[in-house]
Each structure stands twice: as C-alpha cells, then as structure tokens.
Amino acid sequence: MDAVSEIKARLPIEELVGQYCQLQKKGRNFVCLCPFHNDKHPSFLVSPDKGIGYCFACQNGGDIFSFYQRIESVDFRQALHDLAERAGVTLPERAAESTVKKDEKERLRDCLAAAQAFYRKLFQADGKVQAYVQGRGVPPEQIKEFGLGLAPDSFSATYEHLLKEGFSRREIVTAGLGVQKDLEGKIYDRFRNRLIFPIHDGNGRLIGFGGRALGDDDAKYLNSSESPLYHKSDVLYGLHHAKDAIRSSRQVIMVEGYFDVLACHRVGVNNVVAVSGTALTEQHVRLLKRNCDTVILCLDQDRAGQAAAERAYTLCSNAGLLVRVVVLSAKDPADAILEDPKTLEGALRGGGEPYVDMVLRQLSATNLADIAAKRAALARLLPLLQAIQSSTERDHYVSTAAATFGTTAGNLQEDLERLPRQEVLLPVGVPEAAEAASIFTRTETTLGLFLVFPMLLPLLDELIEPGHGFSASLYKALKALREPGRMIDIDALQLTDEERQRARILQLFWEHHEADHWSENIASREIRKNCMQANKELINQKLRSISQELRQAERDGKVAEREKLKTQSKQLTQLKQTL
C-alpha cells in the first residue's frame, strides 16, 4: 500500500472534517456548515463510504487531501506531510530530495528561523529586556513557549548576521527582515531595539514577527511586511496555540495585543487570539468560522477599542457568528492580570454577555432625552441591529431597543430600513447567482445515475457516447463493465485519480438528492428521461461546433468539406427531432 492510500485508510474523512466542523449524522453520511463559504444551513456533505466531503453550493471539497489543502491553504506536498504525521504514517525518504534546490518559501522560512535564533540569543544575554518582560508578568517558561526575542539596537546587525548565514539580500528583504529604499540602496534592519514576538500560521509554521518598541519610537508596535509567507489580513496571533481549545469549546476570545494573549494563557484560558498588524478583516472572520460558533470580544476599553469592537461585531455577525463581550475593569487583559489574575480568569471563563445587550446597557445610561444624544446613540446602534442575520433575534433587539429609546418597535424598524445597507461578508469562491454554472453537465448527471443503479447499465446504450473529457472517460469505463452486480467499485474503473474523485462526488450528488431511495422502476424512468435530455445537450454542442467549422470552411473555400459538414448537420438535426 502506498503512503497516500495508507493515510486515507488510517485517517477517515469524517475524523478530519470533524476537527474543523461540527458534524451531524444524516443517514449513512454526515452534514455540517460549509467551512468554505458563508453557510447558514448545513450544506457540506461528508461520506465515510466514499472518503469525501463536498459542498454543492460553493463546489469545494474532495478527499482528505483536497479538503486539507483547501482549508489550510497548503500545497499537496505539505498536505501529504501533515496528514502523514496525523495518521502516524512514515513517509519514504527520498534521497534525491536532498539535492533539489529548496523553493522560495522554504528558503524564507529558513531565513526567519535563523533570525529567530539570533533574536533569542540576544534576549537571553540582555538582563534589561528580561527584567522588562518579567515586570509585565511573563514567566520564563512562557518566554520560551512563545519564543520571545530581542532585535538589537542597530541598523544592520540582523542583516549582516543573516548574510553570514548564507541568505541573499533579496531573501532577507522578501522575508520582511530588511528594508531597502531603492534597488541599489543600502538595506536596513526592519526591527531595531524591539522585543520580538514570533508569528506563526495556524499550523505552527513561522511566517513573521511582531516587534514592541523598547525605546522612543513613533510606532509602538511594528510587524513584518507583507511577504509570500505573511499576509496580515488572514493571520491571527496565537492561533496555533489556541486551535484545539477553540475547536473543543466552539468559542474564541479575541484580544488586542501580544501581551494580552500571553496573559490569558497564564490564567489557563487558551482559546484566545489577536489580530496581527491590522484591524479585523473578512478573511480573519472566515478563518474563525471554520473553528467556532461564538466570538467573545475582550478588547481595550478606550475609544479605539470600542471602534474595533463594533467593527468586529459587524463582521462576525454578518457571518452568522454569535458575538459576546467581556468588559474588564482594567484597560486590557495584560493589565488585568497584574491587578487580579483570579478576576481575569473568572471574567474570561464566564463568557461575558451578548454584545448588543452591552451596548444597550451603555446607551440606557446616557441622556436619551437629549435629541443630539439620541441621534448619536441611534448612529451607533442601528448598524449593529442591521448586521444580525436572524430575523427573530433582530426583532427581539428592535423591541428591546425601542423601550430603551422610548419609542415603538415600528418606528425603530422604519429607521433601520432607511439605513443604507452595510457591506455583507461574501462567500469565498461562490459566484454571483446569475453567473453560477451547474457543477455537472446533463451527461455527467446521467452517468452518475448508473453509478447509483449499476443493475440498469443496459440502458447506457440509449445515451450517445460523449466525445471528450470526464464524461467520455466515465462512459467508456462503464461500458467496459461486464457484471457490475449491485454496486460499482469506483477504484476498479479505468479512470485517473482525479476522475475517480469526481465520480465519487457525482455519486454523492445523487445521494444528496436521495436518488438512492428510488425504486428500480423510478430509477429506470429517470435514467431514460435523463438520457434523452443529455442526448439533446450533446447534439446541440455538436451542432454548434459544426456551425463554426462550416463558417470556416466557407471562408476558406473548401467546397467538399463544406458539403460534408452540411450533411452531418442535417443528420444531427433529424436525430434531434426524433428525441
């Protein structure tokens, strides 16, 4: 058994998908909210029998490798390595690989790792920065766990060190560690005199750094620049430490800074992340929705923190996530833990309160009798109500808010309807409805019925043989079967691996439409009807192709070819009329 087959045998599709989504049993299969688009009703199907999971709404999924590549944004090589590790499969060593030049991303990772080792060594030798970190309450074991380091107070020390380690000027700049003013200009260190926080992706791979200024600097925090590894709009600091806790609790706590993440971990609350170098984005929310149902905001208590919380609420609520909020007496968790760790732990574990409830409580404490205050309060509240996806939940808050404002639910609803629609989080990879094409052609769906009802394969003679593509391959593979019995082993069909996966998805498509519950008589009737429709589709395609060839033959003056094409067109038209 090869490595791919062994991994599939040891790691069932439902086990892998279940690590990212909440599965619900449905017959022989499972369903869940699709992790690849803004799904409100379970549309992702998981078939243990076929070893695939697929969403027919956004057309994403496949076997465990296709699913993992899509959800973790990795290539097949990385997926093979990661899933082999999960399944306990040892991959065969390839001696030739040691002589192959590393690709760009691997070189950049090596460059970042060399920089991290350099920063760690400097941190361990600097008593002043160690005292600063310990003064923030960070113990030595957490310093080691999160890999804190020190960027030297120098314009080029890191750059020169990396050159000596064998990295090129271009690699150092591309990795986000050096800044070059122009093509021929001198390269300066990006991080200078800063406490360094390594930033990892969801799989724990180093992708960049965040630096906290230790001296007078206009920018208190500085992050790596955009690179092939680091994209701040879809990176959440601490996610690889938090992922298991998020998935088990189905909740994530969102804080504002690196020290806040560390503070939460110190009180035993691990399902915590922070944005990295940017405001919360739609990409961040999609990433969170793969792993949780509820977002608990624990952001700074100042005006900027309030604005960030309202943006986070709107994005998360638009995506169908529940949003709660924890309000601390201190500015943030990093300060709260210094005041009273037990109080911080209790507040975080308590899960806070619904975000809109908190806003209404704050607004009720203002002078809503003053018209200017009332307008300001409405300007804050209405966009939050608009973002609520559930009509029942929105009606509840409209009624509650109406009482707070001393008006009627109808009046408040009118104000809400006059509010310009905010931008809604759009599904990833789902085309506009008007442009959406069917995932399968009529011919493919017809062939799929034979996969479900192999005892009716004699009816395949009623289908015109497709000329090319997946349909042609599947048609020939089915024609080659002699005695398929009551089930078809797709692995035994003469198809490529990619075609086999598509055939399984085709089977799942018909199971999704409950065709496997049809009687043989109903199935026979539906197959004959689909054969007729597929034949019309194939004839129309061929007629369009002949029409193009005919126009070209007329332009080229090829009389014999033109007459031959006319005859073919006439024959196909007559055949179409008999259907």
Side-chain angles (χ1 to χ4, degrees):
M1 183 183 293
D2 62 25
V4 170
S5 300
E6 188 175 357
I7 292 169
K8 287 183 176 181
R10 292 194 186 186
L11 184 58
I13 183 69
E14 67 272 22
E15 181 179 322
L16 179 64
V17 177
Q19 294 172 10
Y20 296 87
C21 311
Q22 280 189 308
L23 296 177
Q24 302 171 11
K25 188 73 173 173
K26 185 178 181 181
R28 299 199 311 270
N29 301 324
F30 295 89
V31 295
C32 62
L33 292 176
C34 178
F36 303 125
H37 78 279
N38 189 18
D39 197 9
K40 294 182 175 61
H41 304 286
S43 59
F44 194 84
L45 278 73
V46 178
S47 171
D49 295 342
K50 298 172 183 59
I52 56 172
Y54 201 81
C55 175
F56 292 103
C58 70
Q59 302 176 17
N60 275 301
D63 63 10
I64 59 171
F65 292 99
S66 299
F67 177 84
Y68 188 81
Q69 284 177 254
R70 177 72 176 86
I71 202 163
E72 294 290 359
S73 299
V74 298
D75 58 17
F76 177 78
R77 180 180 176 185
Q78 186 63 49
L80 181 65
H81 178 273
D82 293 348
L83 295 181
E85 187 174 316
R86 292 193 187 197
V89 174
T90 302
L91 296 176
E93 293 185 11
R94 293 183 179 179
E97 283 189 354
S98 61
T99 63
V100 177
K101 184 178 179 181
K102 291 187 175 181
D103 64 23
E104 180 188 19
K105 287 188 176 181
E106 288 182 288
R107 284 290 297 173
L108 296 181
R109 291 189 199 282
D110 289 346
C111 187
L112 291 172
Q116 183 183 18
F118 180 61
Y119 293 148
R120 287 285 297 135
K121 185 176 181 180
L122 292 177
F123 180 94
Q124 292 165 353
D126 193 302
K128 186 177 179 181
V129 72
Q130 290 182 47
Y132 166 74
V133 172
Q134 290 170 9
R136 298 293 301 263
V138 184
E141 59 270 19
Q142 198 172 45
I143 293 171
K144 181 179 180 181
E145 179 186 3
F146 283 83
L148 273 60
L150 172 65
D153 189 6
S154 166
F155 279 98
S156 61
T158 303
Y159 170 65
E160 290 169 2
H161 172 78
L162 293 173
L163 284 177
K164 291 177 183 177
E165 292 291 311
F167 298 99
S168 67
R169 290 164 56 95
R170 187 187 65 80
E171 288 171 336
I172 296 168
V173 172
T174 304
L177 297 166
V179 178
Q180 188 174 15
K181 299 299 183 182
D182 53 61
L183 291 176
E184 302 300 328
K186 185 177 179 180
I187 295 176
Y188 299 92
D189 288 349
R190 181 174 181 82
F191 299 102
R192 303 188 298 274
N193 193 28
R194 288 181 179 271
L195 176 65
I196 295 296
F197 295 84
I199 299 173
H200 302 79
D201 63 15
N203 292 317
R205 294 172 298 189
L206 184 63
I207 56 175
F209 298 103
R212 203 271 188 203
L214 295 171
D216 295 330
D217 198 296
D218 292 338
K220 184 177 179 181
Y221 283 95
L222 180 68
N223 286 75
S224 290
S225 57
E226 292 282 315
S227 77
L229 298 177
Y230 178 75
H231 306 287
K232 61 185 179 182
S233 62
D234 56 15
V235 172
L236 291 167
Y237 178 73
L239 181 60
H240 70 298
H241 288 291
K243 190 181 287 186
D244 289 343
I246 292 171
R247 287 173 180 164
S248 62
S249 66
R250 300 303 298 173
Q251 294 182 341
V252 63
I253 298 172
M254 186 177 298
V255 297
E256 202 154 312
Y258 305 119
F259 279 115
D260 296 328
V261 172
L262 270 60
C264 295
H265 275 266
R266 288 204 299 282
V267 296
V269 177
N270 299 331
N271 58 325
V272 56
V273 298
V275 293
S276 177
T278 184
L280 188 72
T281 66
E282 293 180 356
Q283 293 95 312
H284 290 137
V285 175
R286 292 187 183 109
L287 184 61
L288 291 174
K289 193 175 181 183
R290 295 177 190 170
N291 300 284
C292 71
D293 308 307
T294 302
V295 175
I296 302 171
L297 304 177
C298 187
L299 304 178
D300 289 1
Q301 304 300 307
D302 54 17
R303 186 181 296 274
Q306 177 181 306
E310 290 181 3
R311 171 179 172 81
Y313 169 84
T314 302
L315 287 172
C316 293
S317 189
N318 272 330
L321 291 164
L322 295 175
V323 185
R324 300 177 68 86
V325 60
V326 169
V327 179
L328 304 175
S329 58
K331 175 177 177 290
D332 54 35
D335 287 347
I337 195 173
L338 298 178
E339 291 182 359
D340 187 350
K342 289 291 185 183
T343 299
L344 174 62
E345 180 183 0
L348 295 175
R349 292 194 186 281
E353 62 181 318
Y355 184 80
V356 178
D357 286 354
M358 182 273 294
V359 172
L360 286 172
R361 179 167 48 79
Q362 291 181 343
L363 295 179
S364 66
T366 63
N367 181 20
L368 293 178
D370 179 76
I371 193 64
K374 184 172 287 189
R375 282 193 175 189
L378 282 171
R380 181 183 178 191
L381 178 66
L382 290 177
L384 305 182
L385 298 180
Q386 186 186 70
I388 298 173
Q389 297 299 295
S390 165
S391 298
T392 303
E393 184 182 349
R394 192 185 312 113
D395 286 348
H396 164 77
Y397 279 116
V398 166
S399 298
T400 305
T404 301
F405 280 79
T407 186
T408 66
N411 288 340
L412 193 59
Q413 183 64 41
E414 287 182 17
D415 288 340
L416 188 58
E417 290 171 357
R418 282 194 290 267
L419 188 70
R421 290 297 302 174
Q422 303 296 310
E423 182 179 356
V424 177
L425 186 67
L426 294 175
V428 177
V430 182
E432 294 296 329
E435 300 175 3
S438 174
I439 180 175
F440 297 115
T441 65
R442 175 65 67 179
T443 304
E444 288 174 335
T445 55
T446 303
L447 292 169
L449 284 172
F450 288 110
L451 292 173
V452 180
F453 297 98
M455 72 290 298
L456 298 175
L457 268 174
L459 296 178
L460 190 59
D461 291 336
E462 296 187 16
L463 181 66
I464 296 173
E465 182 175 354
H468 61 277
F470 169 67
S471 295
S473 299
L474 183 56
Y475 181 92
K476 290 175 182 176
L478 291 173
K479 267 288 189 182
L481 292 175
R482 292 292 179 261
E483 297 179 1
R486 305 293 297 184
M487 291 183 63
I488 289 180
D489 181 5
I490 290 180
D491 286 329
L493 295 178
Q494 295 299 309
L495 300 170
T496 65
D497 289 342
E498 185 177 343
E499 289 170 340
R500 287 192 187 97
Q501 177 160 297
R502 188 163 176 81
R504 290 190 178 93
I505 294 171
L506 193 51
Q507 272 188 323
L508 190 62
F509 170 84
W510 279 117
E511 287 182 14
H512 175 55
H513 289 84
E514 300 186 344
D516 53 333
H517 295 162
W518 293 348
S519 68
E520 192 168 322
N521 285 337
I522 292 175
S524 176
R525 185 189 68 206
E526 291 300 314
I527 285 176
R528 289 179 182 276
K529 182 172 70 176
N530 275 269
C531 282
M532 186 178 298
Q533 293 170 338
N535 288 340
K536 288 180 179 179
E537 180 182 76
L538 288 167
I539 290 171
N540 286 334
Q541 290 174 354
K542 185 61 178 175
L543 285 172
R544 285 193 294 270
S545 176
I546 289 175
S547 179
Q548 293 174 355
E549 293 176 29
L550 188 56
R551 285 195 297 270
Q552 187 62 47
E554 289 174 343
R555 284 194 294 268
D556 296 342
K558 297 180 178 178
V559 177
E561 184 175 341
R562 182 186 63 188
E563 293 305 315
K564 179 181 176 182
L565 290 169
K566 283 184 176 180
T567 300
Q568 290 178 3
S569 178
K570 184 178 180 180
Q571 291 172 343
L572 286 171
T573 301
Q574 291 173 343
L575 177 59
K576 180 181 176 181
Q577 290 171 349
T578 65
L579 297 177

